[in-house]
Amino acid sequence: MKHIFLFISFCILFLSCNDEKQKSLSSAEDTSEIQKTWWKEAVIYQIYPRSFKDTDGDGVGDLKGIIEKLDYIDSLGVNMVWLNPIYSSPNADNGYDISNYREIMDEFGTMEDFDLMLSELHKRDIKFVMDVVVNHSSDEHKWFQESRKSRDNPYRDYYHWWPAEKGKPNYRYSLFDPKGDAWKYDSITNAYYLHYFSAKQPDLKWENPKVRQEVYDIMKFWAEKGVDGFRLDAFQFVSKDTTFPPLPEGYEKDVIKYYGMGPNLHEYLKELNKEVLSKYDVFAVSEGAGSSFADAHSLVDADRNELQMAYHFKGMDVGNSLDRYELSEFKEVYTQWDSAFAKEGWLSIFLANHDVPRMVSKFGNDSPEFRAASSKMLNTFILTMRGTPYCYYGDELGMTNIAFDSISQYQDIVAKNGYQKTLNEGGDIEQYMAELKFLSRDNGRTPMQWNATEHAGFTDGTPWLPVNDNYKEVNVAVQQNDPNSILNYFRKMVKFRMDNPVLVYGDYELILPDNDQVYAYTRKLEEDKMLILLNFSSENVQIEIPEPIKDLELLTNNLDQVSAQGNNIQLQPYQALIYSYK
Ligand code: TEU
């Protein structure tokens, strides 16, 4: 509801539009209390390559498309790019099923395209993160093709096989299987193989040192080409108890507890660090961080010599249901994780990726009235928290969920197999469809909206996944020239973060903890102090900033006006303000 209120002061703030991007606040590590490094200071832009820009009319994005858009990416001010997998793949899971780790997927282009893309990124001082998917390969990878041929094949031990004469192995839940069964019987050798994800994604046997050596060689191959970072897919799952003991009934409700952080994980990570990471100026980020702060610390603390960064799923889990979320829960998760990593370790900050709904549909308000304000507000959050921000393509425009109605519209293996599983189990299919409509991974994978021409300028052909109907209003071309657009706000905020080390390294403190509409926090680095106020609601909210915070000076505003008197501030719906203070 809108209230009438008095504007006590008006302030329109335009941040400096200085084009010169500050790429890095520090070039080398120093040994002061907080260890400063380039990957902590980065702002990462995640691109789902299938959906970014198609140049050959096959309806699928490609590397030439990314090359064509490099100046756009550069104009965002980001200094690192992460691409979802671009290796050869039969695409059962859109590239997360790799059939050759040293080749580029045909649909995406060639190795020459890759080399050009990488050198053009580097020319622009933008670093590059490679997705590494080695918990599993594709069943079409040569290793698996060999492995399944005979029990004495040299590649047999690259995967987890269970001879059928021993009986059916103990139940293992598969996240993607239509029957939920992670063991697939293979008649060629009368044995079952393990697949935590789909049957087309057999799990690699990390317990075999040859497998690990293969992985290190692959990572070195890409490091030699000059990639700057690795995102380790589903990595917490790689180590397994290969006796496959029975697990408690219903364990699949907490799969990370039972599959994550297996017995030899740290040994493998130390080896990977020694063999690969320590030899190059690269960082590695783990997808997933176990179930506790201790697990996450054990992966990323500097003295562990394992990984540099992790992203935990707790933030992603907030709001992952039709019941949506309470701001109190959101604040609690981010505050607890921040405080647990205040002194040691480093995390990522993100509100969306290719596995979850669009940020503004999930955490903001995607109605035409509030889409812009709430997108800007959420981008402010990502860019003012401690941790390395990961910004998902299209969120700089406020792209929204596509919200399909019919199962035939979905492309994602998780949606299709989940539908089949619900039918198989006689589950509530209406409920399942309602959940998909909001939560499906396809929501976050629709083509990038470049302009108002057909298919939003993404392709001349038929896009592999339809473009969102709102592309005529939500696209780069319309936002490019509008100084108040989400896009231009995003650019200003990226620059603002890069210009202000307090937002990278400063201490975080939650204030107004009980306010259920406003998320307010401070960041402090010596004399540098900032107050961030984010109204997560569609209402005007009056707040009073507690002492000793005083002498507020407005630095940024996602709307045109501010109503404030001293420490009393009235926030408009989805308003995001940053102040300096004494
Ligand atoms: O995701 C791992 C992960 O745990 C996901 O299964 C997540 O729970 C799921 O997407 C929710 O629907 C990684 C990738 O991010 C994902 O895209 C891949 O499908 C998956 O690994 C398999 O490689």
Side-chain angles (χ1 to χ4, degrees):
M1 199 178 80
K2 284 203 157 187
H3 301 284
I4 299 166
F5 64 96
L6 183 68
F7 291 119
I8 299 162
S9 63
F10 293 94
C11 179
I12 303 173
L13 187 103
F14 294 103
L15 295 165
S16 135
C17 283
N18 182 357
D19 272 337
E20 209 184 296
K21 180 162 57 173
Q22 190 179 337
K23 295 289 183 179
S24 178
L25 303 169
S26 70
S27 48
E29 294 210 14
D30 73 27
T31 48
S32 62
E33 202 191 334
I34 311 164
Q35 280 203 335
K36 295 184 175 166
T37 66
W38 56 268
W39 42 265
K40 292 183 181 174
E41 295 162 12
V43 175
I44 298 181
Y45 186 61
Q46 182 193 345
I47 295 177
Y48 199 65
R50 215 175 168 72
S51 299
F52 200 59
K53 173 70 187 165
D54 173 27
T55 57
D56 60 5
D58 66 355
V60 172
D62 44 49
L63 298 186
K64 283 202 169 78
I66 294 170
I67 294 168
E68 192 181 301
K69 296 298 182 184
L70 283 175
D71 287 340
Y72 170 77
I73 296 167
D74 195 28
S75 79
L76 298 175
V78 299
N79 54 8
M80 204 168 335
V81 163
W82 154 32
L83 294 190
N84 295 98
I86 52 174
Y87 316 84
S88 297
S89 165
N91 281 313
D93 185 19
N94 289 358
Y96 281 96
D97 48 321
I98 296 168
S99 52
N100 189 325
Y101 290 90
R102 288 182 176 82
E103 274 180 8
I104 300 295
M105 190 191 299
D106 285 342
E107 285 170 311
F108 289 170
T110 62
M111 195 57 90
E112 286 70 46
D113 296 336
F114 175 83
D115 292 338
L116 181 63
M117 179 189 74
L118 188 62
S119 71
E120 287 294 317
L121 279 166
H122 285 164
K123 262 190 213 160
R124 291 166 176 81
D125 278 336
I126 299 173
K127 293 184 186 283
F128 179 76
V129 182
M130 193 81 182
D131 212 322
V132 178
V133 188
V134 285
N135 171 68
H136 45 271
S137 72
S138 164
D139 65 341
E140 296 181 33
H141 193 289
K142 187 192 95 183
W143 298 335
F144 190 75
Q145 298 289 309
E146 287 296 318
S147 186
R148 79 195 310 181
K149 278 185 184 161
S150 67
R151 289 190 181 188
D152 56 8
N153 188 284
Y155 290 93
R156 183 65 170 182
D157 219 22
Y158 272 43
Y159 296 87
H160 297 278
W161 289 101
W162 185 273
E165 64 272 16
K166 279 170 69 183
K168 200 164 179 210
N170 284 314
Y171 167 65
R172 283 295 177 275
Y173 170 72
S174 158
L175 285 93
F176 288 6
D177 188 71
K179 294 201 184 91
D181 185 356
W183 290 108
K184 183 162 163 76
Y185 178 71
D186 201 44
S187 60
I188 304 171
T189 56
N190 188 37
Y192 297 88
Y193 70 84
L194 183 76
H195 60 91
Y196 277 179
F197 294 92
S198 80
K200 299 251 332 141
Q201 296 162 294
D203 283 48
L204 283 161
K205 190 169 175 184
W206 272 68
E207 289 69 24
N208 179 352
K210 282 193 198 146
V211 168
R212 304 202 297 274
Q213 207 50 56
E214 297 268 16
V215 172
Y216 308 148
D217 287 349
I218 291 164
M219 290 176 75
K220 283 189 220 164
F221 171 84
W222 293 99
E224 291 294 333
K225 278 191 169 286
V227 311
D228 307 283
F230 297 103
R231 177 256 188 204
L232 301 177
D233 182 69
F235 200 79
Q236 56 180 335
F237 294 169
V238 300
S239 165
K240 285 148 183 126
D241 175 349
T242 53
T243 65
F244 296 104
L247 294 176
E249 173 103 22
Y251 84 89
E252 60 270 20
K253 292 192 185 69
D254 193 357
V255 119
I256 290 179
K257 181 165 165 209
Y258 292 92
Y259 286 1
M261 311 299 293
N264 301 318
L265 186 72
H266 291 301
E267 184 196 314
Y268 302 158
L269 281 171
K270 285 195 193 313
E271 193 178 75
L272 183 149
N273 185 298
K274 187 165 150 264
E275 294 270 336
V276 186
L277 304 179
S278 65
K279 297 192 169 144
Y280 302 88
D281 187 16
V282 293
F283 82 102
V285 54
S286 158
E287 185 208 19
S291 317
S292 63
F293 299 138
D295 283 347
H297 274 295
S298 73
L299 294 171
V300 299
D301 286 0
D303 59 0
R304 303 273 313 176
N305 291 322
E306 295 188 17
L307 302 175
Q308 286 72 30
M309 202 191 294
Y311 54 97
H312 64 83
F313 288 150
K314 291 283 184 253
M316 231 161 74
D317 290 347
V318 175
N320 247 8
S321 88
L322 292 178
D323 299 336
R324 310 299 296 265
Y325 71 104
E326 298 292 337
L327 183 61
S328 53
E329 185 193 354
F330 186 98
K331 287 185 189 183
E332 194 180 313
V333 166
Y334 283 98
T335 302
Q336 284 180 352
W337 278 83
D338 182 88
S339 67
F341 287 78
K343 297 272 175 280
E344 177 71 289
W346 194 256
L347 298 172
S348 326
I349 288 287
F350 65 102
L351 290 178
N353 63 31
H354 61 290
D355 289 336
V356 287
R358 277 284 165 191
M359 172 179 90
V360 66
S361 301
K362 187 176 174 196
F363 294 111
N365 184 328
D366 62 9
S367 70
E369 188 181 4
F370 294 126
R371 186 177 45 73
S374 64
S375 290
K376 292 175 186 172
M377 185 276 289
L378 294 168
N379 279 319
T380 313
F381 170 75
I382 300 171
L383 292 164
T384 55
M385 286 292 286
R386 179 156 42 193
T388 300
Y390 284 58
C391 305
Y392 190 50
Y393 86 99
D395 282 350
E396 76 274 24
L397 307 174
M399 277 175 58
T400 63
N401 275 1
I402 192 158
F404 291 138
D405 287 310
S406 152
I407 190 65
S408 62
Q409 294 170 292
Y410 289 92
Q411 294 283 330
D412 181 21
I413 188 170
V414 172
K416 290 192 211 169
N417 287 1
Y419 183 83
Q420 207 46 55
K421 183 161 186 271
T422 310
L423 285 182
N424 291 344
E425 291 169 351
D428 183 343
I429 207 75
E430 262 181 49
Q431 169 74 14
Y432 182 74
M433 289 307 297
E435 283 172 6
L436 267 192
K437 187 169 182 164
F438 179 53
L439 297 168
S440 159
R441 307 198 299 180
D442 282 334
N443 276 316
R445 298 177 175 184
T446 60
M448 177 70 171
Q449 296 168 198
W450 293 106
N451 56 46
T453 66
E454 201 185 8
H455 306 313
F458 163 68
T459 180
D460 294 335
T462 307
W464 73 278
L465 194 65
V467 172
N468 196 305
D469 283 342
N470 62 17
Y471 74 93
K472 291 205 167 127
E473 300 87 58
V474 182
N475 67 57
V476 173
V478 294
Q479 295 197 20
Q480 181 74 26
N481 298 320
D482 171 4
N484 290 320
S485 65
I486 307 170
L487 175 60
N488 283 319
Y489 179 82
F490 179 81
R491 289 172 168 148
K492 289 170 195 167
M493 288 309 303
V494 171
K495 179 167 180 356
F496 189 73
R497 181 179 181 99
M498 301 254 182
D499 287 345
N500 287 284
V502 58
L503 295 177
V504 178
Y505 294 113
D507 286 340
Y508 159 99
E509 192 182 339
L510 179 69
I511 57 169
L512 306 175
D514 300 326
N515 193 308
D516 57 12
Q517 292 168 300
V518 173
Y519 191 171
Y521 49 94
T522 56
R523 302 292 313 273
K524 270 184 258 179
L525 188 67
E526 291 155 13
E527 293 313 300
D528 245 343
K529 295 180 188 166
M530 286 193 192
L531 168 69
I532 293 102
L533 303 176
L534 308 171
N535 183 358
F536 271 69
S537 82
S538 57
E539 294 176 358
N540 291 308
V541 185
Q542 184 75 43
I543 55 170
E544 189 181 343
I545 306 300
E547 288 182 357
I549 296 172
K550 59 174 189 206
D551 298 339
L552 301 184
E553 259 181 59
L554 188 65
L555 300 177
T556 77
N557 179 5
N558 68 336
L559 303 176
D560 286 346
Q561 294 159 331
V562 175
S563 165
Q565 192 168 41
N567 278 18
N568 287 302
I569 299 169
Q570 177 150 333
L571 292 165
Q572 297 169 65
Y574 301 105
Q575 188 154 32
L577 302 173
I578 305 180
Y579 289 92
S580 66
Y581 68 93
K582 294 267 167 1

